[in-house]
Amino acid sequence: MDTDPNSSVTEFLTKCDDYQLFQWTKFYRDRLEQAIEEGVDGVSSLLTNATIFSGQEHQKVTELAEKGKWVDSSKLLLNLVMEKDSRARRVMWESFAKKCHGVPKLDKILKEIQELGSNPLDCLNIAHGLLELPSHMNDVQQKHKETLRVQTETLTVNTILIKEKVKIFQLVGRYAELTIISAVRYRTFVEHELLARGRDHEEWRKKDLRRELEKIRTDQLFQSSFSQRESKSGSSAAVSGVPGIGKTTMVQKIVYDWATGKIYPHFQFVFSFKFRDLNTINCRINLRNLILDQYPYFGNVLGELWENPEGLLFIFDGLDEFNDSIDFSDNRRNTEPQSMCTDPECWCEVSDIVYSLIQHKLLPGCSVLVTSRPTALHLLEKAEISVWAEILGFVGDERKEYFNKFFEDQTVAAAVFKHVEENEILYTMCYNPSYCWILGLSLGPFFTQTDRKQQQVPKTITQLYSYYIYNILKNHGREIESPRDVLLKLGEMAFTGVSEKKIVFRNEDLIKYNLQPSQFLSGFLMELLERDVSVQSVVYTFPHLTIQEFVAALAQFLTPDPRDIGQDFSEAYGKGDGRFEIFLRFVAGLSSPQAARPLEEILGQFLHQTTCGVIDWVKKQIDEQIGYTKSKTDKRNLLNTFHYLFESQNKTLAQKTVGSMETLTFCHLIMTPIDCAVLSQTIALCNKINHLELDNCSLQFEGLQQLEPVLHKCRVLRLRNNELKDSGVRPLFKALRNPDCKIQELQLHNNCLSEVCAQDLASALSTNCALTSLNLGDNKLGDSGVKILCTALRYSDCKIMELSLWGTGLSDSICDGLASTLSTNTLLKVLKLGGNSFTDQSIPAFSQLILSCKSLERFVVWENELSSNGKRHLEALQESRPGLIVAV
């Protein structure tokens, strides 16, 4: 929608001179690339109309947009504009003003420049007029930068090789850029962290990232344009992200880039701390000593630093790991007030120092960066945070980039990524660098060792983790006498951790389970457990929560006395907070010979009694849940059980339990691509499936693509309200063309379909002999789309008896075509045309249609747009064939 050309934005732009527009364009370049993705073709058209772009340049821009390469399209447009004269930039900004409504990112930028005034330098938020450092302070700064550079220039990565337990890489060569957004989606993380991100990550970012959420680079974290809270005394930024997403590596890269002069030139000194290290300080301390403990070369010059706090940046990494509490709440009736620290020489608790820095009570004017998992982010809700950001992890090609950097052999990298990409369950994990690391370690050997067959490559999560542990055992198993006993003890400790939501273990935990710390330092478990790098304390943690859950599940198969494991699993299943969900998937998966075999090579045979008990428990779960899907909880429980069945890869069990199922309904339950992949595997084993109901499941293209191999088996397929869109519905058309297609009723109501998909739909219908009922209501097919669709109704193979075109944007001009098409149709019994804007002009065509289509038994139209005369004609038609016409 165009704005008023005399709007305040246009007036403001008129007052800006050419140099200011040039500065605005340079400053907002990255954000503009994102902002105009939604309307790049419209902006290019305006520039072409103003003779800024040639027809060829406009074509290049729009061709990229039409191919879905929105980023490349917007980059090309901005490149072309910057290569031209000042008039090009002025026309471009004026076109932004016309197109900003309905494009949230663009609207935000235009409002910002109005608020900031006509000087682009104002929004850099760089403290101008910083005191020039005296020569002796310059020496300290250079020493500090050199120290930080040495500390951060390499990245230590764990391996599973006995000869090379860790690998050291250059940070720059190994670092893969992450997607960071200038917002936080939710501050409370209730559901299991892996599941929550695995389910919604791809779906959410594709829907909202391009339209509203802005990406933010690490060097933009302290720019006022991303600030949500004005502060005259300094800026604090909070970056959140789930475990393994790359928060600590991001901090390392920030420190390295500052030390090498690439970012933050306005910060004279940067001090970085890990909360896990701060936990070891169990006495009162002041900021001076906190810095000197880590950076002793500052000696007596810190007093001079305090005089210019605007030049200081403090980084605190891992708030969720901090043992002490920090209370930013205004309501402290039930807690002790947080002590205020206003002097860097003042002795107090570490928590008071952190609190006072973030709140700008200590060294007001300094900047602070805090990172945290989402689980602890609520602690900062009342804090003086200016910029909130969240790491989404890898997006699109960033995943491929990670594997290219992980493997030196690019042939292996391409093979591993191809396997991951083809397996939706594995691919969805790859937004998280930690999961990519596990995948790289586990899958790499399959594509580098010639003695392993390609068909053995793991396809379930359990198989993947089995090979991960197998590789560790194979390389380190000789270092201890009984790896089975150690894994059993370790698994028992891991299970307790899962039960108590505990991921950090101390020496007393090891003693409790008869585990010697030396085994962790020199044995194969060195790579399974990560020793804290702090000198003052030793704690142990699994590389990731899912590895802890896998080892906990593995212990169930190693115990010599399984007792009543079915009862134990049922109690775990009954926990409503999802803490045991992944654990139970691993348990079910380890009952599979494919997953158990590599581990049994080293650990010995799993107890047959346990395997049988797991299979019986899974069977019991399915038997209890089949047929009970009234509530959303029931549906989610059944879907979770299908996950257990999928992980078990037990076809015999599946055929006995779900083979005779006739109806599956998951309406109003969000279905991710992973869920759809599991459901597809389940339906493949159903011999009698008739009804599949997936209304309001947010399927979109990726989900339907996973289901495509089995859709043809269903007689009734309901996919209403899924926002499939023209591209997303293509897997369904493929199913309709399947010679064995049994679909008789197809519900596609309200799926954002347009005339673009009409040709493919008509082609599919022309060869389908099974479909008798088709609902396309509330899709914007329009006259042109329905005209194409009519061609399919003429084919003898098309057996449609009921057709709903309710609210599809039809007008009088389509009526003659419909009447002509259906005049020879002897099968159509029900035609619904309500919700369309037909006027009196349509009455003659309706009359012809009703008189010529003898098979028609029900004809539904909307009479809202008809005149009194038109309604009388409609009534006359009703009398000619009583009961046929229903006017609403």
Side-chain angles (χ1 to χ4, degrees), residues 720-776:
R720 291 176 292 198
N721 309 317
N722 275 299
E723 297 186 15
L724 292 173
K725 300 182 180 178
D726 297 321
S727 58
V729 81
R730 286 172 187 164
L732 174 61
F733 297 160
K734 189 175 179 181
L736 289 172
R737 293 190 190 98
N738 190 313
D740 298 322
C741 181
K742 298 178 181 178
I743 301 174
Q744 295 178 359
E745 178 186 331
L746 178 58
Q747 297 281 342
L748 283 173
H749 179 90
N750 190 25
N751 269 292
C752 305
L753 306 181
S754 74
E755 62 179 288
V756 175
C757 74
Q759 190 62 58
D760 287 338
L761 176 57
S763 174
L765 294 178
S766 65
T767 59
N768 186 288
C769 300
L771 192 65
T772 59
S773 177
L774 176 61
N775 183 351
L776 293 169

Side-chain angles (χ1 to χ4, degrees), residues 178-235:
L178 300 163
T179 294
I180 308 174
I181 56 171
S182 60
V184 176
R185 290 173 289 168
Y186 11 79
R187 311 251 175 106
T188 306
F189 215 71
V190 179
E191 194 173 2
H192 186 293
E193 288 177 342
L194 171 63
L195 289 179
R197 281 299 187 272
R199 267 189 218 134
D200 68 39
H201 192 266
E202 281 294 299
E203 160 80 15
W204 177 86
R205 73 165 179 219
K206 287 181 178 178
K207 183 178 180 181
D208 292 332
L209 185 57
R210 187 161 64 89
R211 177 162 177 77
E212 293 188 15
L213 294 174
E214 288 194 89
K215 294 181 182 180
I216 177 173
R217 298 193 312 266
T218 52
D219 63 325
Q220 297 173 318
L221 286 171
F222 296 97
Q223 285 184 4
S224 61
S225 55
F226 288 105
S227 180
Q228 298 177 17
R229 182 196 295 263
E230 291 187 12
S231 175
K232 297 181 180 179
S233 56
S235 178

Side-chain angles (χ1 to χ4, degrees), residues 422 424 673-674 676-677 680 701-710:
E422 290 175 349
E424 188 63 38
I674 292 182
C676 292
S680 180
F701 173 75
E702 291 83 356
L704 203 62
Q705 189 176 41
Q706 292 298 319
L707 290 164
E708 183 268 318
V710 297

Side-chain angles (χ1 to χ4, degrees), residues 63 104 136 271 341 354 410 458 587:
E63 279 181 354
H136 69 284
F271 301 104
C341 173
V354 176
Q410 292 303 291
V587 165

Side-chain angles (χ1 to χ4, degrees), residues 155 171 175-176 178 246-254 317:
L155 189 64
L171 175 67
Y175 186 78
L178 300 163
K247 299 184 294 295
T248 297
T249 308
M250 178 200 73
V251 166
Q252 181 177 340
K253 185 65 161 53
I254 287 175
D317 183 32

Side-chain angles (χ1 to χ4, degrees), residues 484 553-554 556-559 562-563 565-566 569 587-597 600 604-619 648 650 653:
R484 184 182 180 113
L554 177 59
Q556 310 303 308
F557 292 83
L558 302 178
T559 179
R563 295 176 289 120
I565 58 172
F569 295 156
V587 165
L590 285 168
S591 70
S592 161
Q594 299 100 305
R597 191 177 297 117
E600 288 180 325
Q605 290 291 310
F606 289 172
L607 201 63
H608 182 68
Q609 180 184 349
T610 301
T611 301
C612 292
V614 171
I615 294 172
D616 289 343
W617 179 78
V618 173
K619 182 179 183 301
S648 75
N650 191 327
L653 174 62

